[in-house]
Amino acid sequence: EIFLPALIEKKNMEPTGRGYVEIGIEAKAKNEKDASFVLGWSHEDILTALMKNFLDSYKDLPFAVYQIQTKFRHEPRAKSGLLRGREFIMKDLYSFHASEEDFSRYYEKVKTSYARIFKRCGLNAIETLAAGGVFTASNTHEFQVLADVGEDVIYVCDRCGYAENKEIAGDKSGDACKKCSGTVREEKSIEVGNTFPLGTKYSQALNLRYTDKDGERKYVVMGSYGIGLGRVMGTIVEIHHDEKGITWPESVAPYQMHLIEIRNSKSEIRNAGEKIYKEFIDDGQEVLYDDREDVSAGEKFADADLIGIPTRIVISDRTLAQHAAEVKHRNSADATLVPLEKLRYGIE
């Protein structure tokens, strides 16, 4: 795991031809006449230059590094909150290999891992063939989630799931699938991740080579892979919501339980709420505790639905009279009373 700077030297962007025009922001160092910096919109270039200090022999390969870091884009149409911004958080991964064969094995592993990650996030991400853009000349793969608010257009087979981005697809809705006898349909989607076979584009431009077993100097084969974390979160909300608010999947919810006090002038409710909260915290549970005063029950319930924590627990005069708490799951219309002594042992 690494953490590269957000400001990178322009000289490392120039050899590949991608340059800093994509960013449009340049800063001059006060005491360095020849050093100028740009905001890092991607780190293939700077990392290739850096790896020249660490990769020299076939024994050093394969090698992979990743980071979770801020990225920048000269985005002319920043909108839709986290779905399209000029500054965002990305998990980016870079791999270095002695051969295309070794790279291909690793590339497939990453695609499989990404598919698992998105599934655990509650997203049905479709692996989609796409163009390389400014990253590489070869075809790449995107992970696309179908959504009406999506700005991408993909063509996906209704039988085998094979998909292509509209940028490279020669299909139209209703065509026969290229892989099976299914039918292609056009869909709007949101890109949540991507994988790029880089070949030797960057290693040749920045002279990153290694010595093989026969003593021959060869260019390192590379790949890069990314997941836009903020965009994933925004996509989860677009997929998992109702008319009242968010319905977070349990696997990615910011808290698992939303504990609410419906308080009167007595102190019993506060004491019970604090006791339950402490027990949950001591057990390592993630709990959002709403102990606000002078806020109506209706407002607290509305806020709970809006925030969308999977399980809501309510303490009130009515529940304490039965030595219980009211438990309701966000996706359920029904609430049940659970004895206080059973709360900390898990809520089904």
Side-chain angles (χ1 to χ4, degrees):
E1 182 179 6
I2 60 173
F3 190 75
L4 294 171
L7 280 176
I8 59 179
E9 284 195 78
K10 183 176 67 175
K11 69 179 183 181
N12 290 315
M13 299 290 287
E14 292 173 336
T16 60
R18 297 200 302 169
Y20 51 90
V21 177
E22 292 284 334
I23 303 162
I25 299 175
E26 182 177 348
K28 198 76 169 180
K30 289 183 178 179
N31 300 318
E32 299 181 54
K33 293 181 179 179
D34 299 325
S36 58
F37 298 84
V38 296
L39 289 174
W41 64 282
S42 190
H43 283 82
E44 285 83 359
D45 315 73
I46 185 66
L47 197 56
T48 304
L50 179 65
M51 286 301 106
K52 291 165 68 174
N53 299 312
F54 298 95
L55 305 180
D56 186 60
S57 165
Y58 71 94
K59 295 181 180 179
D60 300 323
L61 299 168
F63 186 74
V65 295
Y66 79 95
Q67 64 177 348
I68 296 174
Q69 198 241 33
T70 303
K71 293 288 190 297
F72 306 90
R73 293 288 188 275
H74 185 48
E75 176 55 66
R77 296 184 299 116
K79 62 176 186 176
S80 303
L82 295 174
L83 296 184
R84 182 178 288 278
R86 294 186 175 95
E87 179 178 336
F88 54 93
I89 300 294
M90 175 177 278
K91 189 289 303 174
D92 46 327
L93 165 69
Y94 307 87
S95 66
F96 304 84
H97 307 268
S99 66
E100 285 286 350
E101 291 76 17
D102 186 65
F103 161 74
S104 295
R105 286 191 292 270
Y106 189 81
Y107 189 80
E108 292 303 317
K109 282 184 178 181
V110 174
K111 286 200 297 178
T112 300
S113 295
Y114 275 21
R116 287 201 302 263
I117 289 170
F118 295 127
K119 184 176 181 179
R120 288 175 62 187
C121 289
L123 298 175
N124 179 25
I126 300 171
E127 183 183 314
T128 305
L129 190 67
V134 296
F135 288 88
T136 178
S138 63
N139 286 330
T140 65
H141 293 88
E142 300 168 343
F143 287 86
Q144 297 276 1
V145 176
L146 302 185
D148 291 338
V149 298
E151 293 189 332
D152 280 356
V153 175
I154 66 172
Y155 291 95
V156 57
C157 174
D158 61 4
R159 175 172 292 184
C160 71
Y162 175 76
E164 293 184 357
N165 192 294
K166 185 178 181 179
E167 294 178 347
I168 68 164
D171 300 315
K172 62 180 184 295
S173 191
D175 283 354
C177 175
K178 298 174 182 177
K179 301 293 183 179
C180 73
S181 58
T183 302
V184 170
R185 69 182 190 276
E186 180 180 297
E187 297 281 0
K188 289 184 177 180
S189 60
I190 303 170
E191 179 189 345
V192 291
N194 43 48
T195 56
F196 298 95
L198 302 178
T200 58
K201 172 180 177 177
Y202 297 89
S203 57
Q204 288 189 50
L206 291 152
N207 197 31
L208 175 61
R209 296 193 287 176
Y210 72 97
T211 302
D212 68 9
K213 293 180 179 180
D214 300 321
E216 184 179 349
R217 296 289 287 175
K218 294 182 177 179
Y219 289 110
V220 174
V221 178
M222 294 172 53
S224 67
Y225 324 80
I227 295 177
L229 302 183
R231 182 179 285 186
V232 167
M233 187 167 70
T235 304
I236 292 169
V237 173
E238 291 293 342
I239 300 301
H240 296 278
H241 72 272
D242 59 20
E243 69 281 358
K244 295 181 179 179
I246 306 170
T247 57
W248 288 109
E250 289 189 11
S251 59
V252 291
Y255 300 90
Q256 292 302 307
M257 289 172 281
H258 195 154
L259 177 61
I260 297 176
E261 289 181 0
I262 306 301
R263 192 186 310 171
N264 59 16
S265 60
K266 299 179 182 179
S267 62
E268 288 89 349
I269 294 176
R270 166 54 66 89
N271 293 337
E274 289 182 348
K275 182 175 183 293
I276 292 169
Y277 178 68
K278 184 178 185 303
E279 289 177 347
F280 279 137
I281 295 301
D282 289 344
D283 286 345
Q285 302 290 336
E286 297 174 319
V287 185
L288 180 61
Y289 184 17
D290 188 348
D291 60 349
R292 292 177 293 173
E293 300 180 14
D294 301 322
V295 176
S296 69
E299 186 175 349
K300 289 187 176 185
F301 293 158
D303 286 346
D305 284 338
L306 180 64
I307 296 170
I309 306 305
T311 302
R312 187 185 78 188
I313 304 171
V314 177
I315 302 295
S316 67
D317 283 338
R318 182 179 66 84
T319 68
L320 287 184
Q322 302 176 68
H323 197 64
E326 181 188 87
V327 176
K328 177 183 177 298
H329 297 291
R330 178 62 179 83
N331 289 319
S332 173
D334 300 320
T336 58
L337 285 176
V338 176
L340 294 180
E341 61 271 16
K342 292 186 178 181
L343 280 178
R344 66 181 300 176
Y345 298 109
I347 299 170
E348 298 298 332

